Amino acid sequence: MARIVMKFGGTSMAGIERIRNVAERVKREVESGNQVAVVVSAMAGDTDRLVGFCREASALYDPREYDAVVSSGEQVTSGLLAIALQAIGVPARSWLGWQLPIRTSDAHATARIESIDTTALDESLARGEVAVIPGFQGVTDDQRITTLGRGGSDTSAVAMAAAMQADRCDIYTDVDGVYTTDPRIVPRARKLARVTYEEMLELASVGAKVLQTRSVGLAMKEQVRVRVLSSFDDTRDEDGYRGTLIVGEEEVTDMERQLITGIAHDKNEAKITLVAVPDRPGSVGSIFAPLAAAGINVDMIVQNIAHSAGSTDVTFTVPAAELARAIDTLDKASGDIGFAKLLHDTRVAKISIVGVGMRSHAGVASTMFQTLGDRGINIQAITTSEIKVSVLIEEDYTELAVRVLHTAYGLDAVDA
């Protein structure tokens, strides 16, 4: 008997018919002899609707009450799925976050899971019940409901799998796995059978939308085997597997390992250039300290060659949604920084190549730079990690860049 956590996203839970479809999938796992816990998201669009109500009620809403409102979407779907399971003869009950409980920090709307008590859950599973748990939520020590931020149901599912010591956490979504890149841009993109935690973490952080970054980081930390698969498509690959497994590097064989695993793109970037910053010790710190204090994440950083007048230009990127706040923060700190002018550009995109094969192969970055240069695509900034290279380019070249790099690294499917 295996313990399985199944997580279903908003599109999978969008209406009673789809909830019934989910119930049938859960029933098949139960009939296979497995103990099953299900983590559910709100119906597609419901969270946005509830957030809108909060903003309409007051622009300066209490975040504690905001969490009480937006967490209700998952409460509805967990109850409905329990009802649908009971209707087809599967013993089931819903468990709200406070009933287990799922203990979190008190950072409302962005809470982090601290512990999960599975005592009552273990007893329920031992009785043959399916536990249906709302994702995205928990409770503080003072009994206030919290939410984990957008995409938080993925994190809830992985955390539940870790706490239950589950054999696997299955994330059901509207795609049938992790691809070498976005198949809407590259029809010849291939579905991957296995991806390492590190690769998936990098892909999620640079624009791949399959899994929430926090959930992948937690899976890697707790060594939870995660499978990404479709709620609507039961197609199996040539080896009989469905979806994509996210696992430790030791589970990816040499035959499966490629130099580059995937290519991601992200248009939600904004570039800021500070012109004529004094070229002296501490000047760069005076730029990024106020941004850090304001909670604004900075990604790519380029410091140009110093001007003859003892100044230099500094270019960096921030999330596009944070651009206005970043500009305001820098303007307020302009006296300490001493820049002459601030330039910004939102028509940029970040293109990233990811793969553990980079560790043992030279020339990966040069292939990227040469391929983009041959197509006349100018690179505005570069950042790297041990298994990732990201470049900033003009937004209009995004799809071309993804396509030519996909081909350059031999990722195109042969039979597509």
Side-chain angles (χ1 to χ4, degrees), residues 273-279 303-314 340:
T273 298
L274 299 182
V275 179
V277 175
D279 186 27
Q303 182 170 347
N304 299 328
I305 298 173
H307 298 304
S308 57
S311 62
T312 184
D313 297 343
V314 178

Side-chain angles (χ1 to χ4, degrees), residues 93-102 117 120-121 132 134 137 139:
R93 68 151 291 180
S94 62
W95 294 87
L96 300 186
W98 61 268
Q99 291 175 311
L100 288 172
I102 301 171
D117 187 342
L121 187 63
V132 186
Q137 65 179 252
V139 63

Side-chain angles (χ1 to χ4, degrees), residues 42 47 50-51 54 65-74 136-137 147:
T47 301
L50 295 168
V51 169
C54 291
E65 303 305 339
Y66 168 93
D67 277 354
V69 173
V70 300
S71 63
S72 65
E74 282 76 12
F136 177 60
Q137 65 179 252
T147 62

Side-chain angles (χ1 to χ4, degrees), residues 145-279:
I145 293 174
T146 56
T147 62
L148 310 182
R150 282 309 177 95
S153 291
D154 285 352
T155 300
S156 297
V158 173
M160 286 302 310
M164 294 167 51
Q165 298 183 322
D167 296 274
R168 192 179 66 245
C169 178
D170 288 346
I171 307 287
Y172 286 82
T173 180
D174 53 359
V175 296
D176 62 346
V178 179
Y179 279 74
T180 48
T181 195
D182 188 339
R184 293 170 298 182
I185 294 177
V186 183
R188 295 171 66 86
R190 292 183 293 106
K191 184 166 70 71
L192 299 164
R194 287 177 174 82
V195 178
T196 69
Y197 294 123
E198 289 180 276
E199 290 169 328
M200 194 66 240
L201 189 60
E202 291 282 17
L203 286 167
S205 69
V206 295
K209 301 297 192 297
V210 179
L211 287 173
Q212 186 206 41
T213 306
R214 278 173 60 187
S215 70
V216 183
L218 181 60
M220 182 166 66
K221 174 178 175 289
E222 300 292 339
Q223 293 295 292
V224 175
R225 299 175 83 247
V226 176
R227 184 171 63 160
V228 179
L229 64 170
S230 172
S231 296
F232 312 107
D233 185 357
D234 288 327
T235 303
R236 298 177 182 267
D237 62 23
E238 58 189 18
D239 296 318
Y241 293 109
R242 291 176 56 216
T244 299
L245 275 171
I246 317 299
V247 293
E249 194 170 339
E250 68 281 355
E251 289 196 53
V252 180
T253 67
D254 289 338
M255 289 185 65
E256 294 170 316
R257 195 181 307 280
Q258 297 206 21
L259 181 61
I260 297 299
T261 296
I263 299 171
H265 69 282
D266 188 358
K267 295 183 180 180
N268 298 312
E269 296 276 321
K271 181 178 72 171
I272 295 175
T273 298
L274 299 182
V275 179
V277 175
D279 186 27

Side-chain angles (χ1 to χ4, degrees), residues 13-89:
M13 304 296 293
I16 296 300
E17 285 307 312
R18 290 193 175 183
I19 290 174
R20 286 182 178 138
N21 175 62
V22 167
E24 291 292 343
R25 289 183 178 278
V26 174
K27 183 178 183 180
R28 289 199 289 271
E29 286 288 355
V30 173
E31 290 176 342
S32 296
N34 297 323
Q35 291 185 338
V36 180
V38 186
V39 175
V40 295
S41 297
M43 293 186 187
D46 268 13
T47 301
D48 287 337
R49 180 175 61 88
L50 295 168
V51 169
F53 287 154
C54 291
R55 290 173 176 166
E56 187 177 346
S58 172
L60 299 174
Y61 51 74
D62 183 338
R64 295 167 298 184
E65 303 305 339
Y66 168 93
D67 277 354
V69 173
V70 300
S71 63
S72 65
E74 282 76 12
Q75 179 173 334
V76 170
T77 50
S78 59
L80 288 174
L81 179 56
I83 291 171
L85 285 166
Q86 293 166 6
I88 57 175

